[in-house]
Amino acid sequence: IDNFGHHNTVPHVLSNTGYSWLVLGRMAYRDLYDFASKSTLQFEWRSSEHEGTNGLRTHFLAEHYGLPSTAFDFDHTNVCDEDVLLGELQQLARRHVRQYPAHGHVLIMMGDDFRFVRAARAFGCLDRLISASRKHESWRDMKLQYSTMTEYLDSVQPHLDAHAMRVHGGDFYPYQDKPVEQYWSGILGSRPYLKWLVRDTEQIVQHVEALVAMQRMRGTRAAWSTLELHLEFCRKQVAIGYHHDAITGTCTDDAFADYVERLRTAARVALRIGHVALQPVDDAEQQISAAYNADQHIGSAYNTATRDVDNAARDWLEIAPAQCTDSACVGAAVVVTNTLLAAQDVVVRLRVHSGSAVL
């Protein structure tokens, strides 16, 4: 509900993976006026690039996905004035009901980012409002209740089945939320390095997950729990990278630097996990922990799907001096993996700190 625009392939992808409904929260203000003025903020969205495929019933939020007003922000107020709050909800419902098909049901979002810290206070007041609405004369023709998204959509389904819905066959670009020259389409191309880094790190983490899983099938040992804990750290950094202010490039410069550092660390740690999984060592915890240090070079594990952009270590392998010297260079392990589905023909350089070595 917080995307900065929507491509017209979205209904094709979602309808073919089992989804029947989609809820959107951002639409260009011109589109919003057009849909709302025609009572069509619930419509069938079809992909113009995939004719003949199923459409997706779509509900658009008439207003922001957050609280109806600051009066409902119970994290910052302890005032629960039943008359005032019920009056606001009633005005909101009467305004919204005209913007949707004539089924008479209105969905009001109750929350926002970082809310419900004081959940008991919030739900306590909402309980009082629901109870009070059943006694108010002005609420005779209206019913206030809690609802899940599924319950709401099920309640409007019979009406929509019996009446033709508006069909929309395009995308929702560019996103412009105000009647000024303020477009958000830069999400498709801004901060391309961060976009690449998120996907590149995800490739590494996913392949290391496969390596760890394969090794676990061959036997168990106490260190697997250690590897899994560190692997979970890597997954979380990738997940953070997919935040809608990260991979979109709409983040601040400081946040951008933080995202990059998190992802680089996740890649280093994941590569070390893969190496330890394939060549179990007694000091696995120490080796993996060292990878959190940005100065550590993980040269004994190489992913052929990565690209050499800012880190020269990505396109060559190194047998560290501590592992391989003229006096002792036996059993040094080198791991080369391919995370892509297709076979690759890649030249991989190997740096060895020894006058003589046999591979």
Side-chain angles (χ1 to χ4, degrees):
I1 61 175
D2 204 14
N3 288 40
F4 308 139
H6 306 270
H7 197 272
N8 64 26
T9 58
V10 169
H12 170 72
V13 172
L14 294 182
S15 63
N16 281 280
T17 51
Y19 288 90
S20 57
W21 273 96
L22 173 66
V23 178
L24 302 181
R26 290 185 183 271
M27 184 187 294
Y29 79 96
R30 291 188 181 91
D31 291 334
L32 176 58
Y33 176 80
D34 179 60
F35 278 76
S37 64
K38 298 175 182 176
S39 302
T40 55
L41 283 181
Q42 282 171 341
F43 54 93
E44 183 175 342
W45 189 12
R46 296 177 184 172
S47 172
S48 59
E49 297 182 4
H50 301 84
E51 295 183 5
T53 59
N54 294 329
L56 190 67
R57 286 188 171 178
T58 304
H59 174 99
F60 184 80
L61 301 175
E63 296 188 20
H64 185 258
Y65 59 82
L67 299 162
S69 74
T70 56
F72 290 86
D73 187 359
F74 300 111
D75 286 324
H76 298 93
T77 180
N78 58 3
V79 177
C80 183
D81 190 318
E82 296 176 9
D83 292 333
V84 171
L85 297 179
L86 285 176
E88 285 198 31
L89 290 176
Q90 194 171 65
Q91 291 179 14
L92 187 66
R94 294 190 185 282
R95 184 169 68 250
H96 282 195
V97 75
R98 299 192 298 267
Q99 302 177 40
Y100 294 90
H103 46 62
H105 295 273
V106 176
L107 176 68
I108 298 177
M109 304 295 284
M110 194 63 64
D112 210 324
D113 299 344
F114 316 116
R115 292 304 190 272
F116 288 98
V117 174
R118 299 183 181 275
R121 179 192 295 175
F123 284 107
C125 185
L126 294 177
D127 288 344
R128 288 170 54 186
L129 295 181
I130 292 173
S131 178
S133 68
R134 295 168 183 166
K135 304 172 185 177
H136 271 245
E137 184 68 16
S138 62
W139 280 77
R140 284 185 306 171
D141 61 340
M142 301 176 70
K143 180 182 179 182
L144 182 65
Q145 67 176 66
Y146 289 116
S147 175
T148 65
M149 193 66 72
T150 298
E151 289 170 338
Y152 169 76
L153 297 176
D154 286 346
S155 69
V156 304
Q157 195 84 22
H159 176 88
L160 300 178
D161 289 341
H163 298 81
M165 297 181 70
R166 174 174 179 169
V167 176
H168 179 72
D171 58 29
F172 287 102
Y173 287 123
Y175 175 60
Q176 182 187 15
D177 61 343
K178 299 176 182 177
V180 294
E181 295 301 313
Q182 179 177 315
Y183 296 97
W184 291 56
S185 299
I187 62 169
L188 303 177
S190 57
R191 300 196 188 277
Y193 173 72
L194 183 56
K195 289 174 168 54
W196 169 85
L197 188 60
V198 172
R199 301 304 299 273
D200 182 66
T201 306
E202 182 182 37
Q203 277 191 339
I204 294 172
V205 173
Q206 287 184 342
H207 199 62
V208 169
E209 287 179 325
L211 291 177
V212 171
M214 288 189 295
Q215 289 300 97
R216 291 194 67 170
M217 291 175 63
R218 299 176 181 177
T220 59
R221 61 189 184 91
W224 292 127
S225 59
T226 297
L227 300 188
E228 181 59 34
L229 286 174
H230 290 290
L231 197 52
E232 182 64 13
F233 164 82
C234 299
R235 296 188 191 105
K236 289 180 178 179
Q237 307 319 303
V238 172
I240 290 173
Y242 274 109
H243 184 271
H244 72 157
D245 282 320
I247 197 169
T248 58
T250 58
C251 53
T252 64
D253 289 344
D254 288 342
F256 168 77
D258 183 63
Y259 288 134
V260 168
E261 179 57 30
R262 286 174 176 274
L263 292 166
R264 286 175 172 171
T265 302
R268 288 195 307 272
V269 172
L271 287 171
R272 177 55 71 189
I273 292 172
H275 180 64
V276 170
L278 292 173
Q279 186 187 30
V281 292
D282 294 333
D283 60 342
E285 175 63 34
Q286 291 82 350
Q287 286 200 27
I288 297 174
S289 296
Y292 286 84
N293 185 340
D295 296 330
Q296 288 290 315
H297 166 47
I298 311 302
S300 54
Y302 174 76
N303 172 13
T304 62
T306 60
R307 298 292 179 262
D308 179 21
V309 175
D310 72 319
N311 186 354
R314 285 295 183 85
D315 74 338
W316 51 261
L317 287 157
E318 178 179 13
I319 303 298
Q323 287 185 271
C324 187
T325 64
D326 287 331
S327 59
C329 192
V330 179
V334 176
V335 180
V336 179
T337 59
N338 174 20
T339 62
L340 301 180
L341 296 177
Q344 294 187 82
D345 184 6
V346 179
V347 175
V348 180
R349 290 175 290 171
L350 176 63
R351 180 176 296 178
V352 179
H353 299 268
S354 175
S356 59
V358 177
L359 184 62

